[in-house]
Every structure is written in C-alpha cells, then in structure tokens.
Amino acid sequence: MRSAHLELLDADELRRREGFARDADRDRFTLGAALARLAVGANLGVPARRVPLRRRCPDCGGPHGRVTLPGCPLHLSVTHAGTLVGVAVTAAGPVGLDVEQEVELDWRRLARRIQGPGEGDPIRSRAGFLRCWTRKESVLKATGDGLRVPMSEVVLGPGPTLLRYRSRVHPPAHLTDLPAPPGYAAALTVLAAAAPRVAAAASGGLLGGAIDRAICEKTP
C-alpha cells in the first residue's frame, strides 16, 4: 500500500479503515478501495478521486458490504486474501471476483456442506476444495446474495459452468478460473446472456485477471 492509495479513500472508508485492529487488514481494505477507484476511473476516463463507491449493508444499512457504483454503467467486484487484493470491472453484467488462500482446515467435512446435488466435479483434494469454493463465492458475489445463500444451492458443472442457482436452472452466467500464485485460487463470474471478453494472466507472481479491466497488487 502507498500513501497515494490512502488519499483516495472517502470519509466513510477512512472511518472503517480505522476500525480494523490489524495493520494488514487496514492495508488490504485501503488497497482494495483505492484500486477500485483506479480501475473504474481508467475505464471511464475520469480521475480516480471522482469515482463514487457505495457500500450499504442490506441487513443493517451500514457503510459496509458489497461495493456498487451508483449512476455508473459499470459493475465492480473487490476481493482480498492473504497478501493479494483484486478488483474486477465490467460493463457486461454483475460481476463477482473471489480469491482465497489455502489454510489448514477440514476440507473433507466442508466439501460435504458446500456441494450440491448433481455437482459436476466432485471434490477430491484440498486444491479441489479451494477451487470449488472460489467459483461458488464468485457466483454469490455476482448475485449480491453473498454467504447468506448456502453454497450447496450453487450447483456447478465441469468447465466450470453454473448448472443451477437456487431454483433457477442454467441461469445466464460465465465462470472463469484465474491463474493465481501457489497456495491461492481465484475465480470470476459475470451474470450476462452473452459471453464477455475475458483476459487473465499471471505476472511477476501477482494475480492478474480481467473482464475489460482488473488490477491486482500485493500488500506489503
């Protein structure tokens, strides 16, 4: 994180930043907010400082939760895990970007909880679990439902593809696995009838992925 990133935060974001107890959490939040403005500003051709970001919790109305762009034709998703922070921006439709870091956990038990009936790719390893999780969370981020919806209601096929979301069969969605450094997995979902342009590349050990434009950087 650089001082220039901190200067891009608005008053609500600065207050939320100060609410984090750990420096690493403050850095991740700051970098995510700054990169979101830089990515959207680059797409719109406006200064990053003029990009409006809105965070409103659907449950309590507080200034946190999914990031949106009021009055803007673009869709945005921000994610972070470990030392990676990622931002995806697109005009194609609602977008969800997720990156996860591998940690010690009982993945076999969790796999039984997140897999739905008729799932296309059974989970047989820790890496497979991480890959499945990021795909499903990217779908939940794109829909805006988040983890309020059980992952077992996001039913994936091979490819990956979205076979069913809650009661809907074959909803219009495009899923992409993104390259990530060792120990990480990343996935991107766009809810759109037509396939959007997708580019993804790993560069310098950092995660890089885009629909129209994405920026990912490491925190210190």
mmCIF file of all heavy atoms in Angstrom, residues 10-17 20 29 53-67:
data_model
loop_
_atom_site.group_PDB
_atom_site.id
_atom_site.type_symbol
_atom_site.label_atom_id
_atom_site.label_comp_id
_atom_site.label_asym_id
_atom_site.label_seq_id
_atom_site.Cartn_x
_atom_site.Cartn_y
_atom_site.Cartn_z
ATOM 1 N N ASP A 10 -12.690 7.869 0.865
ATOM 2 C CA ASP A 10 -13.614 8.901 1.329
ATOM 3 C C ASP A 10 -13.753 8.826 2.849
ATOM 4 O O ASP A 10 -13.112 7.988 3.516
ATOM 5 C CB ASP A 10 -14.969 8.792 0.626
ATOM 6 C CG ASP A 10 -15.705 7.495 0.930
ATOM 7 O OD1 ASP A 10 -15.406 6.841 1.949
ATOM 8 O OD2 ASP A 10 -16.606 7.128 0.137
ATOM 9 N N ALA A 11 -14.604 9.693 3.411
ATOM 10 C CA ALA A 11 -14.711 9.792 4.872
ATOM 11 C C ALA A 11 -15.205 8.494 5.497
ATOM 12 O O ALA A 11 -14.696 8.051 6.541
ATOM 13 C CB ALA A 11 -15.633 10.948 5.244
ATOM 14 N N ASP A 12 -16.224 7.856 4.882
ATOM 15 C CA ASP A 12 -16.738 6.588 5.409
ATOM 16 C C ASP A 12 -15.659 5.514 5.400
ATOM 17 O O ASP A 12 -15.527 4.725 6.349
ATOM 18 C CB ASP A 12 -17.945 6.113 4.604
ATOM 19 C CG ASP A 12 -19.218 6.863 4.970
ATOM 20 O OD1 ASP A 12 -19.250 7.508 6.035
ATOM 21 O OD2 ASP A 12 -20.186 6.804 4.176
ATOM 22 N N GLU A 13 -14.893 5.473 4.313
ATOM 23 C CA GLU A 13 -13.848 4.460 4.190
ATOM 24 C C GLU A 13 -12.729 4.695 5.207
ATOM 25 O O GLU A 13 -12.193 3.744 5.778
ATOM 26 C CB GLU A 13 -13.293 4.458 2.767
ATOM 27 C CG GLU A 13 -14.294 3.895 1.765
ATOM 28 C CD GLU A 13 -13.914 4.207 0.328
ATOM 29 O OE1 GLU A 13 -13.177 5.185 0.088
ATOM 30 O OE2 GLU A 13 -14.381 3.477 -0.559
ATOM 31 N N LEU A 14 -12.390 5.941 5.437
ATOM 32 C CA LEU A 14 -11.351 6.243 6.426
ATOM 33 C C LEU A 14 -11.796 5.815 7.820
ATOM 34 O O LEU A 14 -11.001 5.266 8.597
ATOM 35 C CB LEU A 14 -11.017 7.734 6.405
ATOM 36 C CG LEU A 14 -10.240 8.222 5.174
ATOM 37 C CD1 LEU A 14 -10.149 9.737 5.179
ATOM 38 C CD2 LEU A 14 -8.841 7.602 5.138
ATOM 39 N N ARG A 15 -13.092 6.047 8.148
ATOM 40 C CA ARG A 15 -13.591 5.614 9.452
ATOM 41 C C ARG A 15 -13.593 4.093 9.563
ATOM 42 O O ARG A 15 -13.232 3.541 10.615
ATOM 43 C CB ARG A 15 -15.010 6.168 9.667
ATOM 44 C CG ARG A 15 -15.045 7.626 10.069
ATOM 45 C CD ARG A 15 -16.418 8.030 10.538
ATOM 46 N NE ARG A 15 -17.389 8.019 9.448
ATOM 47 C CZ ARG A 15 -17.653 9.060 8.677
ATOM 48 N NH1 ARG A 15 -17.025 10.211 8.869
ATOM 49 N NH2 ARG A 15 -18.560 8.978 7.717
ATOM 50 N N ARG A 16 -13.997 3.434 8.484
ATOM 51 C CA ARG A 16 -13.998 1.973 8.531
ATOM 52 C C ARG A 16 -12.580 1.433 8.631
ATOM 53 O O ARG A 16 -12.321 0.466 9.346
ATOM 54 C CB ARG A 16 -14.694 1.411 7.294
ATOM 55 C CG ARG A 16 -14.845 -0.102 7.368
ATOM 56 C CD ARG A 16 -15.546 -0.661 6.177
ATOM 57 N NE ARG A 16 -15.581 -2.121 6.248
ATOM 58 C CZ ARG A 16 -15.864 -2.904 5.226
ATOM 59 N NH1 ARG A 16 -16.166 -2.384 4.059
ATOM 60 N NH2 ARG A 16 -15.850 -4.210 5.361
ATOM 61 N N ARG A 17 -11.663 2.069 7.922
ATOM 62 C CA ARG A 17 -10.262 1.641 7.966
ATOM 63 C C ARG A 17 -9.732 1.677 9.397
ATOM 64 O O ARG A 17 -9.027 0.750 9.826
ATOM 65 C CB ARG A 17 -9.426 2.547 7.071
ATOM 66 C CG ARG A 17 -7.941 2.212 7.042
ATOM 67 C CD ARG A 17 -7.166 3.207 6.191
ATOM 68 N NE ARG A 17 -5.786 2.793 6.059
ATOM 69 C CZ ARG A 17 -4.829 3.083 6.950
ATOM 70 N NH1 ARG A 17 -5.128 3.793 8.034
ATOM 71 N NH2 ARG A 17 -3.587 2.662 6.750
ATOM 72 N N PHE A 20 -10.313 -1.345 11.878
ATOM 73 C CA PHE A 20 -9.575 -2.609 11.836
ATOM 74 C C PHE A 20 -8.464 -2.603 12.882
ATOM 75 O O PHE A 20 -7.734 -1.616 13.023
ATOM 76 C CB PHE A 20 -8.971 -2.836 10.445
ATOM 77 C CG PHE A 20 -9.987 -3.096 9.371
ATOM 78 C CD1 PHE A 20 -10.285 -2.140 8.423
ATOM 79 C CD2 PHE A 20 -10.651 -4.316 9.315
ATOM 80 C CE1 PHE A 20 -11.217 -2.374 7.441
ATOM 81 C CE2 PHE A 20 -11.588 -4.562 8.326
ATOM 82 C CZ PHE A 20 -11.885 -3.593 7.389
ATOM 83 N N PHE A 29 -7.854 -3.364 3.088
ATOM 84 C CA PHE A 29 -9.042 -2.558 2.829
ATOM 85 C C PHE A 29 -8.686 -1.304 2.025
ATOM 86 O O PHE A 29 -9.368 -0.951 1.056
ATOM 87 C CB PHE A 29 -9.710 -2.168 4.146
ATOM 88 C CG PHE A 29 -10.877 -1.239 3.964
ATOM 89 C CD1 PHE A 29 -12.105 -1.728 3.535
ATOM 90 C CD2 PHE A 29 -10.741 0.116 4.202
ATOM 91 C CE1 PHE A 29 -13.176 -0.874 3.339
ATOM 92 C CE2 PHE A 29 -11.811 0.981 4.015
ATOM 93 C CZ PHE A 29 -13.034 0.481 3.586
ATOM 94 N N LEU A 53 -17.967 5.312 -4.930
ATOM 95 C CA LEU A 53 -18.166 3.939 -4.471
ATOM 96 C C LEU A 53 -19.212 3.951 -3.366
ATOM 97 O O LEU A 53 -19.193 4.820 -2.495
ATOM 98 C CB LEU A 53 -16.868 3.334 -3.932
ATOM 99 C CG LEU A 53 -15.688 3.198 -4.888
ATOM 100 C CD1 LEU A 53 -14.546 2.479 -4.189
ATOM 101 C CD2 LEU A 53 -16.083 2.460 -6.152
ATOM 102 N N ARG A 54 -20.108 2.990 -3.397
ATOM 103 C CA ARG A 54 -21.148 2.920 -2.375
ATOM 104 C C ARG A 54 -21.110 1.545 -1.710
ATOM 105 O O ARG A 54 -21.051 0.517 -2.390
ATOM 106 C CB ARG A 54 -22.531 3.150 -2.998
ATOM 107 C CG ARG A 54 -23.692 3.042 -2.010
ATOM 108 C CD ARG A 54 -25.018 3.216 -2.732
ATOM 109 N NE ARG A 54 -26.152 2.966 -1.873
ATOM 110 C CZ ARG A 54 -26.723 3.864 -1.098
ATOM 111 N NH1 ARG A 54 -26.263 5.105 -1.093
ATOM 112 N NH2 ARG A 54 -27.770 3.551 -0.349
ATOM 113 N N ARG A 55 -21.133 1.546 -0.394
ATOM 114 C CA ARG A 55 -21.222 0.313 0.392
ATOM 115 C C ARG A 55 -22.383 0.458 1.362
ATOM 116 O O ARG A 55 -22.352 1.316 2.247
ATOM 117 C CB ARG A 55 -19.929 0.064 1.177
ATOM 118 C CG ARG A 55 -18.704 -0.231 0.329
ATOM 119 C CD ARG A 55 -17.486 -0.401 1.238
ATOM 120 N NE ARG A 55 -16.280 -0.672 0.474
ATOM 121 C CZ ARG A 55 -15.533 0.267 -0.091
ATOM 122 N NH1 ARG A 55 -15.888 1.533 0.018
ATOM 123 N NH2 ARG A 55 -14.440 -0.049 -0.768
ATOM 124 N N ARG A 56 -23.398 -0.360 1.179
ATOM 125 C CA ARG A 56 -24.528 -0.345 2.099
ATOM 126 C C ARG A 56 -24.930 -1.771 2.409
ATOM 127 O O ARG A 56 -25.264 -2.542 1.506
ATOM 128 C CB ARG A 56 -25.715 0.420 1.504
ATOM 129 C CG ARG A 56 -25.551 1.924 1.514
ATOM 130 C CD ARG A 56 -25.502 2.486 2.922
ATOM 131 N NE ARG A 56 -25.294 3.940 2.946
ATOM 132 C CZ ARG A 56 -24.116 4.526 3.015
ATOM 133 N NH1 ARG A 56 -23.011 3.788 3.069
ATOM 134 N NH2 ARG A 56 -24.012 5.839 3.043
ATOM 135 N N CYS A 57 -24.871 -2.141 3.676
ATOM 136 C CA CYS A 57 -25.249 -3.477 4.101
ATOM 137 C C CYS A 57 -26.755 -3.669 3.905
ATOM 138 O O CYS A 57 -27.545 -2.832 4.375
ATOM 139 C CB CYS A 57 -24.881 -3.677 5.565
ATOM 140 S SG CYS A 57 -25.452 -5.244 6.256
ATOM 141 N N PRO A 58 -27.190 -4.733 3.207
ATOM 142 C CA PRO A 58 -28.622 -4.954 3.007
ATOM 143 C C PRO A 58 -29.365 -5.298 4.287
ATOM 144 O O PRO A 58 -30.592 -5.213 4.341
ATOM 145 C CB PRO A 58 -28.660 -6.124 2.016
ATOM 146 C CG PRO A 58 -27.363 -6.833 2.223
ATOM 147 C CD PRO A 58 -26.376 -5.770 2.573
ATOM 148 N N ASP A 59 -28.626 -5.677 5.337
ATOM 149 C CA ASP A 59 -29.267 -6.058 6.596
ATOM 150 C C ASP A 59 -29.399 -4.884 7.566
ATOM 151 O O ASP A 59 -30.470 -4.652 8.129
ATOM 152 C CB ASP A 59 -28.489 -7.200 7.261
ATOM 153 C CG ASP A 59 -28.481 -8.460 6.411
ATOM 154 O OD1 ASP A 59 -29.523 -8.748 5.792
ATOM 155 O OD2 ASP A 59 -27.442 -9.135 6.350
ATOM 156 N N CYS A 60 -28.284 -4.135 7.751
ATOM 157 C CA CYS A 60 -28.315 -3.054 8.750
ATOM 158 C C CYS A 60 -28.217 -1.660 8.150
ATOM 159 O O CYS A 60 -28.399 -0.668 8.863
ATOM 160 C CB CYS A 60 -27.196 -3.253 9.766
ATOM 161 S SG CYS A 60 -25.534 -2.948 9.099
ATOM 162 N N GLY A 61 -27.906 -1.571 6.842
ATOM 163 C CA GLY A 61 -27.785 -0.265 6.207
ATOM 164 C C GLY A 61 -26.481 0.447 6.486
ATOM 165 O O GLY A 61 -26.308 1.603 6.094
ATOM 166 N N GLY A 62 -25.537 -0.219 7.166
ATOM 167 C CA GLY A 62 -24.255 0.390 7.483
ATOM 168 C C GLY A 62 -23.356 0.528 6.273
ATOM 169 O O GLY A 62 -23.593 -0.098 5.225
ATOM 170 N N PRO A 63 -22.294 1.350 6.364
ATOM 171 C CA PRO A 63 -21.399 1.600 5.226
ATOM 172 C C PRO A 63 -20.397 0.478 4.998
ATOM 173 O O PRO A 63 -19.188 0.685 5.010
ATOM 174 C CB PRO A 63 -20.712 2.907 5.619
ATOM 175 C CG PRO A 63 -20.651 2.841 7.107
ATOM 176 C CD PRO A 63 -21.915 2.142 7.541
ATOM 177 N N HIS A 64 -20.898 -0.728 4.827
ATOM 178 C CA HIS A 64 -20.033 -1.864 4.538
ATOM 179 C C HIS A 64 -20.833 -2.842 3.669
ATOM 180 O O HIS A 64 -22.023 -2.670 3.450
ATOM 181 C CB HIS A 64 -19.576 -2.550 5.833
ATOM 182 C CG HIS A 64 -20.702 -2.936 6.734
ATOM 183 N ND1 HIS A 64 -21.154 -2.117 7.748
ATOM 184 C CD2 HIS A 64 -21.508 -4.032 6.781
ATOM 185 C CE1 HIS A 64 -22.155 -2.691 8.378
ATOM 186 N NE2 HIS A 64 -22.393 -3.861 7.811
ATOM 187 N N GLY A 65 -20.170 -3.841 3.176
ATOM 188 C CA GLY A 65 -20.837 -4.801 2.301
ATOM 189 C C GLY A 65 -20.355 -4.661 0.868
ATOM 190 O O GLY A 65 -19.289 -4.101 0.593
ATOM 191 N N ARG A 66 -21.163 -5.150 -0.053
ATOM 192 C CA ARG A 66 -20.799 -5.166 -1.465
ATOM 193 C C ARG A 66 -20.604 -3.746 -2.001
ATOM 194 O O ARG A 66 -21.379 -2.838 -1.703
ATOM 195 C CB ARG A 66 -21.900 -5.865 -2.260
ATOM 196 C CG ARG A 66 -21.594 -6.036 -3.741
ATOM 197 C CD ARG A 66 -22.804 -6.603 -4.452
ATOM 198 N NE ARG A 66 -22.521 -6.908 -5.837
ATOM 199 C CZ ARG A 66 -23.463 -7.216 -6.728
ATOM 200 N NH1 ARG A 66 -24.727 -7.268 -6.351
ATOM 201 N NH2 ARG A 66 -23.132 -7.491 -7.970
ATOM 202 N N VAL A 67 -19.554 -3.560 -2.808
ATOM 203 C CA VAL A 67 -19.261 -2.256 -3.397
ATOM 204 C C VAL A 67 -20.065 -2.097 -4.687
ATOM 205 O O VAL A 67 -20.073 -2.975 -5.537
ATOM 206 C CB VAL A 67 -17.759 -2.117 -3.705
ATOM 207 C CG1 VAL A 67 -17.459 -0.719 -4.220
ATOM 208 C CG2 VAL A 67 -16.925 -2.410 -2.478
#
